Amino acid sequence: MSHCKQKPVSTGIIYHSCNDSTIAHNVLSNESSADKVIKFCFGYDHLILLKDKAFIQRLSSCDDNLFDACYQQLRALNLSIVDIAFGRKHGIALSEDFEAWSFGDNSYGQLGIGYIGNRPSASAPSLFLIEHLLKLKQRIISVQCGEYHSCALSQTGDVYTWGSGKYGVLGTAVLANQATPRYVAHFPTRKEFITRIACGPQACAAISVHGRLYQWGYGQSTPLRIIIGEELKIKKVSIGNQHTVCLTQCGKLYAWGLSMYGQLGIDATDNKKVSTPLLLKQFEHVEVTDIECCSLYTVVCTESHIFILGYNDTLFQKKQHFRAYAYPLPCAAMQEQPLPKICCFGCSRHDFAVLTKSAIHKLSPSICCAHGSDVCISGHGIYVTPFRPTVQYILRDRCILHSGCFVTDDYESVQIQCCTPNFTQFPEFLSVEYPMKIQVTVAIDGKYYTDPVDMYVVQTPSKSQAETFELTPNCGDMSGDIQCVITDRSQYISALTATPDLPLNHLTVQLVASTFRDDNDENKQQQTYVVNASVCDGDANAIQFVLPPLNVGTYRVFLALDGPQNFVDIHQSFTVYNVQCMQCSSDIINLSDSENEIDLEIEVVGFAYTDRKNIKLKFSADSHDVDGDKHAFIQDAIYESQSARDIAANEAKTKQEYEAKRGEIETAKSEELQTLAVSAKSEDEAREKWLAQTEKDRKKKKKPADLEAFEAEIQSKNDEWTQKLKERESAQREIERKYRKQLVSLNKAESRLESAKPSEQDDGHGYIRCKLDVCKLRQWQQPCSVQIGITCNGALYSALCSITSIRPRVSRVSPKLGLFSAATKVKLYVAGFTLDAVNKLDLQVCIEDEQVDEFEIGRDDAANGECFVAMTVNAFKSNGVKVIKIKYGQVFEIAATFWAHQVIKIASVLPKEWSVAEDGEVKIQFAAELNEEYVEDDVQVEIKANEHKIVWTSALELSTENKKECKVQIDSGLLGTVGTAKKAQCQISLNRQQWIAAKPVAIK
């Protein structure tokens, strides 16, 4: 029978197979206490899981509740049962007090109670203490059952048997039935100390303290030593239905007995019995932990696998297995999950069960912070029990216990949620170096713990370390999918990655909105975004993550090592923009222009207020037929905000206003000075006249007295004039002083305005200016739509707007000529530009600089859908080459030429007689020269005679020597429809519209 070899467990998953199907059961828990699992107990049709205090979880599918009453009696007696052995219809229970209790059928004395047979008064199986073993003062440590016999091993190494003696299974040389335990004394080595016993349906075996193996039964009535290999020491032996398997202390498997069903792991085509122990080579390199034989199959157990040899008609695919068949544990099929450890297994004729212990498979996050982190524990065999789960954190000899709680995830898997302790509060943890490795184990029943798993405890970055982190890029489009990198210049991250086995697989970045462009943003409540991050490949100092779509605004960036918790501010921000085009200075670019570079200005909103040196534009040809590189990049785009432009405009306006005021002051000053000058000039002229008159008057004064009085009067007048000149200079100075004062006051006012100049308030509305390389666009197929993308972070581009690049030209004119004195309908076919979306009102057609009011825009289906502009060219006053222009707003102007000819008469047609019998060639002499540049390659010929008219198209061959002469072909077949005529009228059309008459011709 299988034993629990590992440390005690009380929880786990039982995989129970019957009828070739497997069902998973949780190990049942008592409501009052957590009891450890002792072992699977089994035999024949019986299979149970035994726990402390005789708590039994019955798994048998075929025992019809035979012993339920006995199990209840065991619990009622409050016995601590450590083992139960089963025969076909009886069982022996072993208590912790070394007492053996029997129950079930006693037809062969197999209960060991002193008599043979069942008492008729017993309505149900009864429980009996085997008192005879007490009388022998034997402390029983192991019990086993065969089909109808029982076996016990005492603490002193003695073996006792009782029940049916058939086949010599009792080993006492007696074949009769025994009603009481009897000592097995016939070991080859006197007083052999036995440490282990085993029973099969028709045999028993024992292992001595020296590892010797003895077996009896199958007709051998006393113990017989079995030599294994070169006297290898035996660890365990198990007996099936006429086959035996043993496990040596060095880990090898040997088997003997019947092999017809593959139970020995060998092909036995002759179905003979193997009498000599045979090494099972297919398990030579397998670390076997346990074995068991049941009926016609053998079980081999390792730490995490079960292998089956042999056959069972309800289990293991109902097939014979000569090679090891791996028993499929359902949990082993789960990918990325470690295999569970097998605690024990049990087997019967119709049932097979495996107990896998509860185990931690994953800690999320896989590291915790020194001051505590929330951790989710998942694994195998974790399920809800009546008890609160307990988590144990172990560092060397120090253990900290914390309670957890059961939670269920979206897949209905049970996990344990808990919080790691604040290690900084424990003095013994203050001196340790971080990162620190601890061990974590959990008891889902609060008592028995799983095997420990490693976990690292780390310190979060200090403030000085966090300030060294740098985020690139620091802005991006709101559509998301932006690859960002956080670079750590303090070597904090690289120190963690250098720690062996330290997993940084729960790095998390949090973005918290700090500003929004629109305070009325309906999505403003969505202010926090959390994304997963990872260490960059090839750079241990960098962390990478991908941003999701975000609302427009600025976000503070935080970093956590233990999942979405314990975030640390790294003093970085990320600006989210949504740049949209309001207007482009040119929606259409004419590549036919001579300029190789054009200035482009795009009005945008939603621009990011970030490092403007990263602004770049990308021009992409939206055409699948473009050969080569379809991108053009502009690195030197310049952004000017509307605020800056408004400030500059206000500055210019203010400067203009102040310059105007200065002009007004200068004008007023000039006017006053001019008035003063005019007055001074008038006064100067009057004085000049006065001085001249004074000289005349002086000469008239003869008397001294009169002369003296006159001179006194003149002196008085001179003094007045001197005073007037002084007043005049004073007035001029006053005018200049007054206006100079006004200018100083004005300059001070202007200076105050400049010092109070408003700062730029960029709300994302502005203008992007750049120079576009037209030569690059000319390399692409035209016309095409050019998509303009913008990046504010220097890397990721988002769509901004589109422009159309065109190369308009007149591909052909049809017809290219017409009679100058008559109207001609003309089509100008346009290539390099699509006229479909053109508003006719924006298109202007001119012939010889005169505007054409009536024209038509369309496509010619007969000419592969070419676009055309159709118009009527009216008669001209003179012949010659005329220019026709098509102008589309300020976008383009294209021109073509048309020959207005004066060829109105055919001078001669040779020959003058045409035959209906055969085709021929006609030489035509026009009255004026033809311009070969405009003449089409073919002409139309019209013949009228006998009330019939025929027209055919003929190739035209101009004479290289005579510009008036050409040749056309006669279509005799058409002439035949007219018949013979002496005078048939003949006309030629050079443009299929206007006809030039010739002299009549004869048709024969």
Side-chain angles (χ1 to χ4, degrees):
M1 294 185 182
S2 179
H3 297 266
C4 288
K5 296 297 183 183
Q6 306 176 57
K7 69 180 184 179
V9 297
S10 61
T11 58
I13 305 294
I14 300 172
Y15 295 99
H16 177 207
S17 297
C18 64
N19 298 322
D20 207 26
S21 64
T22 302
I23 301 175
H25 303 280
N26 297 334
V27 176
L28 299 179
S29 299
N30 292 334
E31 294 293 334
S32 58
S33 64
D35 297 325
K36 71 177 181 180
V37 172
I38 296 176
K39 64 186 301 186
F40 279 114
C41 301
F42 49 88
Y44 291 88
D45 296 333
H46 314 289
L47 174 61
I48 65 169
L49 181 67
L50 177 63
K51 298 184 71 176
D52 272 349
K53 302 175 184 176
F55 182 80
I56 293 172
Q57 185 173 343
R58 187 171 60 82
L59 301 171
S60 306
S61 59
C62 300
D63 64 359
D64 299 325
N65 307 331
L66 182 63
F67 300 136
D68 282 0
C70 299
Y71 300 155
Q72 293 175 6
Q73 291 178 45
L74 287 172
R75 296 201 64 186
L77 293 173
N78 198 24
L79 296 173
S80 295
I81 303 300
V82 297
D83 195 5
I84 300 178
F86 291 99
R88 181 179 287 273
K89 293 183 179 181
H90 77 288
I92 307 293
L94 178 63
S95 73
E96 196 175 43
D97 297 328
F98 307 104
E99 296 176 341
W101 297 76
S102 61
F103 53 89
D105 181 56
N106 194 38
S107 299
Y108 301 94
Q110 59 265 48
L111 299 186
I113 53 179
Y115 62 87
I116 297 175
N118 299 309
R119 296 183 178 180
S121 60
S123 58
S126 299
L127 186 64
F128 302 96
L129 175 64
I130 304 179
E131 297 179 350
H132 186 72
L133 293 174
L134 297 178
K135 292 177 182 179
L136 296 174
K137 297 182 180 182
Q138 293 293 331
R139 296 164 65 89
I140 304 303
I141 62 172
S142 178
V143 292
Q144 296 286 321
C145 291
E147 188 173 14
Y148 300 113
H149 67 282
S150 305
C151 183
L153 175 63
S154 72
Q155 201 174 45
T156 57
D158 296 328
V159 179
Y160 295 86
T161 58
W162 62 93
S164 172
K166 192 176 181 180
Y167 306 115
V169 296
L170 299 182
T172 57
V174 178
L175 301 181
N177 297 340
Q178 297 291 326
T180 56
R182 188 167 182 176
Y183 174 64
V184 179
H186 298 84
F187 286 96
T189 303
R190 185 176 179 84
K191 288 291 183 181
E192 185 74 276
F193 190 93
I194 302 301
T195 58
R196 191 160 195 157
I197 56 175
C199 284
Q202 301 171 15
C204 290
I207 301 174
S208 74
V209 70
H210 300 294
R212 300 188 186 98
L213 174 61
Y214 300 93
Q215 189 173 17
W216 60 93
Y218 300 134
Q220 173 67 34
S221 61
T222 57
L224 175 68
R225 183 176 177 190
I226 307 296
I227 304 297
I228 304 298
E230 297 179 357
E231 297 195 13
L232 298 175
K233 293 183 178 181
I234 307 304
K235 181 179 180 181
K236 183 180 179 181
V237 64
S238 182
I239 306 172
N241 191 353
Q242 298 191 36
H243 77 283
T244 306
V245 177
C246 71
L247 174 63
T248 67
Q249 292 184 10
C250 61
K252 295 183 178 181
L253 286 182
Y254 285 84
W256 60 97
L258 290 182
S259 60
M260 60 187 299
Y261 294 102
Q263 57 267 53
L264 301 187
I266 59 173
D267 294 328
T269 54
D270 54 1
N271 296 332
K272 291 184 178 180
K273 183 176 182 180
V274 177
S275 57
T276 303
L278 182 68
L279 174 66
L280 302 186
K281 293 184 178 181
Q282 56 182 302
F283 295 102
E284 273 191 300
H285 303 292
V286 177
E287 188 176 345
V288 178
T289 59
D290 202 358
I291 58 172
E292 199 65 56
C293 296
C294 180
S295 187
L296 300 176
Y297 66 90
T298 302
V299 183
V300 179
C301 179
T302 68
E303 185 181 59
S304 300
H305 294 86
I306 295 285
F307 299 100
I308 306 297
L309 297 170
Y311 171 75
N312 184 278
D313 59 355
T314 62
L315 301 170
F316 318 128
Q317 299 180 334
K318 303 178 183 179
K319 297 179 181 178
Q320 296 182 20
H321 298 288
F322 293 94
R323 302 293 297 173
Y325 164 73
Y327 175 73
L329 291 173
C331 56
M334 299 177 62
Q335 295 183 354
E336 299 181 0
Q337 295 289 347
L339 293 173
K341 291 185 178 180
I342 297 173
C343 292
C344 52
F345 65 89
C347 48
S348 67
R349 292 196 303 171
H350 303 285
D351 298 272
F352 184 79
V354 179
L355 171 61
T356 56
K357 66 183 300 184
S358 300
I360 298 175
H361 285 172
K362 182 179 180 182
L363 298 174
S364 183
S366 52
I367 61 175
C368 69
C369 292
H371 54 272
S373 298
D374 292 329
V375 177
C376 187
I377 300 175
S378 58
H380 175 77
I382 294 180
Y383 50 88
V384 177
T385 68
F387 312 100
R388 190 174 181 85
T390 304
V391 184
Q392 197 176 56
Y393 303 94
I394 306 167
L395 177 64
R396 294 187 286 273
D397 56 347
R398 181 69 169 95
C399 177
I400 302 174
L401 297 180
H402 266 216
S403 295
C405 62
F406 293 109
V407 295
T408 304
D409 64 11
D410 296 337
Y411 301 97
E412 298 185 356
S413 297
V414 177
Q415 300 172 338
I416 296 174
Q417 192 76 40
C418 61
C419 180
T420 62
N422 185 348
F423 293 98
T424 61
Q425 294 180 347
F426 298 91
E428 55 269 42
F429 288 99
L430 295 178
S431 59
V432 300
E433 293 185 2
Y434 293 93
M436 168 182 68
K437 182 189 285 189
I438 63 172
Q439 290 188 312
V440 180
T441 180
V442 64
I444 66 173
D445 58 4
K447 185 175 180 181
Y448 294 100
Y449 289 89
T450 62
D451 291 337
V453 296
D454 293 337
M455 186 179 197
Y456 274 95
V457 182
V458 299
Q459 285 278 28
T460 55
S462 64
K463 183 178 179 181
S464 61
Q465 289 173 325
E467 290 175 348
T468 66
F469 286 72
E470 182 178 355
L471 174 67
T472 54
N474 58 5
C475 64
D477 190 87
M478 68 178 297
S479 59
D481 197 25
I482 302 170
Q483 183 81 32
C484 295
V485 175
I486 299 174
T487 305
D488 170 26
R489 297 193 301 272
S490 69
Q491 311 296 316
Y492 171 81
I493 298 297
S494 61
L496 295 179
T497 56
T499 304
D501 303 325
L502 192 152
L504 286 177
N505 48 15
H506 285 89
L507 292 171
T508 308
V509 173
Q510 182 186 56
L511 295 101
V512 179
S514 56
T515 63
F516 277 86
R517 283 283 171 79
D518 185 1
D519 290 336
N520 297 320
D521 192 342
E522 296 180 356
N523 297 320
K524 188 171 182 178
Q525 65 273 17
Q526 300 177 3
Q527 296 186 14
T528 303
Y529 297 83
V530 176
V531 295
N532 295 326
S534 62
V535 178
C536 292
D537 294 336
D539 189 354
N541 288 315
I543 296 171
Q544 62 186 1
F545 62 96
V546 178
L547 281 179
L550 303 173
N551 295 323
V552 174
T554 300
Y555 295 79
R556 295 173 60 196
V557 182
F558 300 81
L559 176 66
L561 306 177
D562 55 350
Q565 55 184 324
N566 294 311
F567 285 102
V568 176
D569 188 353
I570 62 172
H571 305 282
Q572 296 289 301
S573 63
F574 189 90
T575 301
V576 179
Y577 56 79
N578 182 24
V579 183
Q580 299 180 36
C581 174
M582 297 291 292
Q583 185 178 0
C584 185
S585 61
S586 178
D587 294 333
I588 298 177
I589 299 175
N590 186 1
L591 302 180
S592 299
D593 291 345
S594 59
E595 292 89 347
N596 291 330
E597 195 174 61
I598 63 172
D599 293 323
L600 196 65
E601 182 178 87
I602 305 172
E603 183 181 1
V604 297
V605 293
F607 194 83
Y609 32 89
T610 181
D611 189 355
R612 294 175 183 174
K613 68 181 181 182
N614 286 324
I615 303 170
K616 297 177 183 177
L617 297 178
K618 179 174 73 173
F619 292 75
S620 304
D622 186 15
S623 173
H624 297 292
D625 300 323
V626 176
D627 295 328
D629 187 7
K630 298 188 292 184
H631 305 294
F633 294 93
I634 296 179
Q635 307 287 344
D636 54 352
I638 299 174
Y639 170 77
E640 180 186 19
S641 69
Q642 181 67 56
S643 174
R645 182 167 287 193
D646 291 342
I647 292 172
N650 288 332
E651 284 182 352
K653 181 181 178 182
T654 302
K655 187 174 182 179
Q656 186 177 4
E657 290 174 352
Y658 275 89
E659 289 296 333
K661 289 180 180 180
R662 289 188 184 91
E664 292 174 359
I665 292 173
E666 291 294 337
T667 300
K669 174 184 173 182
S670 298
E671 289 177 352
E672 284 197 40
L673 290 175
Q674 181 65 29
T675 302
L676 184 63
V678 170
S679 176
K681 183 178 180 181
S682 177
E683 290 175 349
D684 289 343
E685 289 175 351
R687 180 170 173 78
E688 290 295 330
K689 291 180 180 181
W690 176 80
L691 288 174
Q693 185 63 41
T694 300
E695 288 297 325
K696 292 179 180 179
D697 291 344
R698 179 181 284 115
K699 293 178 180 180
K700 294 179 180 180
K701 302 295 180 183
K702 303 298 183 178
K703 298 178 179 181
D706 292 339
L707 185 59
E708 183 179 355
F710 183 74
E711 291 294 338
E713 184 181 352
I714 290 175
Q715 184 63 42
S716 175
K717 292 287 186 180
N718 286 337
D719 291 342
E720 289 178 2
W721 178 253
T722 300
Q723 183 63 33
K724 185 176 287 291
L725 289 177
K726 290 180 180 179
E727 289 176 356
R728 187 190 296 177
E729 290 176 358
S730 176
Q732 183 176 349
R733 286 194 301 270
E734 185 61 32
I735 291 172
E736 290 178 348
R737 185 184 302 111
K738 180 179 71 172
Y739 287 106
R740 186 165 55 249
K741 186 177 180 180
Q742 289 182 13
L743 285 174
V744 170
S745 177
L746 188 66
N747 290 337
K748 287 183 178 179
E750 185 179 19
S751 179
R752 284 194 298 271
L753 282 177
E754 289 180 355
S755 62
K757 175 183 175 181
S759 59
E760 180 182 357
Q761 301 293 326
D762 187 5
D763 61 354
H765 180 198
Y767 303 85
I768 298 173
R769 300 193 306 274
C770 66
K771 290 187 179 296
L772 178 59
D773 184 2
V774 177
C775 296
K776 182 70 174 179
L777 300 187
R778 288 190 180 120
Q779 298 173 9
W780 303 344
Q781 177 176 326
Q782 305 302 332
C784 71
S785 176
V786 178
Q787 303 297 321
I788 304 178
I790 185 172
T791 177
C792 299
N793 57 29
L796 301 174
Y797 290 86
S798 51
L800 183 61
C801 62
S802 64
I803 58 178
T804 301
S805 62
I806 61 172
R807 187 177 288 172
R809 60 192 181 279
V810 176
S811 60
R812 60 191 177 96
V813 181
S814 179
K816 294 187 289 184
L817 76 169
L819 187 62
F820 83 96
S821 58
T824 306
K825 293 182 179 180
V826 178
K827 287 184 180 180
L828 270 64
Y829 288 85
V830 178
F833 181 72
T834 301
L835 295 172
D836 295 340
V838 171
N839 188 336
K840 187 177 179 181
L841 297 177
D842 296 332
L843 207 64
Q844 185 179 358
V845 179
C846 296
I847 301 176
E848 290 293 284
D849 296 329
E850 291 187 10
Q851 186 169 332
V852 178
D853 296 328
E854 298 293 332
F855 60 88
E856 178 188 352
I857 299 174
R859 282 186 177 273
D860 191 342
D861 294 334
N864 296 322
E866 283 187 89
C867 296
F868 66 82
V869 177
M871 69 208 76
T872 299
V873 177
N874 294 321
F876 295 97
K877 294 180 179 180
S878 62
N879 66 304
V881 176
K882 310 297 180 181
V883 178
I884 305 175
K885 295 181 181 179
I886 300 176
K887 185 177 182 182
Y888 180 42
Q890 300 298 321
V891 178
F892 66 80
E893 181 180 297
I894 53 179
T897 56
F898 175 82
W899 183 41
H901 66 83
Q902 58 179 354
V903 183
I904 59 175
K905 184 178 179 182
I906 297 176
S908 64
V909 176
L910 296 175
K912 296 181 179 180
E913 295 182 350
W914 297 1
S915 173
V916 298
E918 59 180 354
D919 294 341
E921 188 176 78
V922 177
K923 184 182 293 184
I924 297 175
Q925 184 80 20
F926 290 97
E929 289 186 354
L930 297 177
N931 190 330
E932 61 182 352
E933 182 181 350
Y934 294 92
V935 175
E936 304 285 354
D937 294 335
D938 56 26
V939 295
Q940 283 188 320
V941 181
E942 180 185 88
I943 296 295
K944 291 181 180 179
N946 303 326
E947 298 182 354
H948 291 283
K949 181 177 76 172
I950 59 173
V951 178
W952 74 86
T953 301
S954 170
L956 178 68
E957 183 182 348
L958 284 175
S959 172
T960 57
E961 298 177 355
N962 188 351
K963 300 299 182 181
K964 296 181 179 181
E965 187 176 284
C966 67
K967 295 179 181 179
V968 298
Q969 303 297 318
I970 297 175
D971 190 336
S972 59
L974 285 175
L975 284 178
T977 62
V978 175
T980 60
K982 292 183 178 180
K983 291 185 178 181
Q985 295 181 2
C986 177
Q987 295 188 99
I988 304 294
S989 177
L990 298 175
N991 60 7
R992 304 184 184 224
Q993 295 183 42
Q994 297 147 352
W995 295 93
I996 305 171
K999 293 181 179 180
V1001 297
I1003 302 175
K1004 295 182 179 181

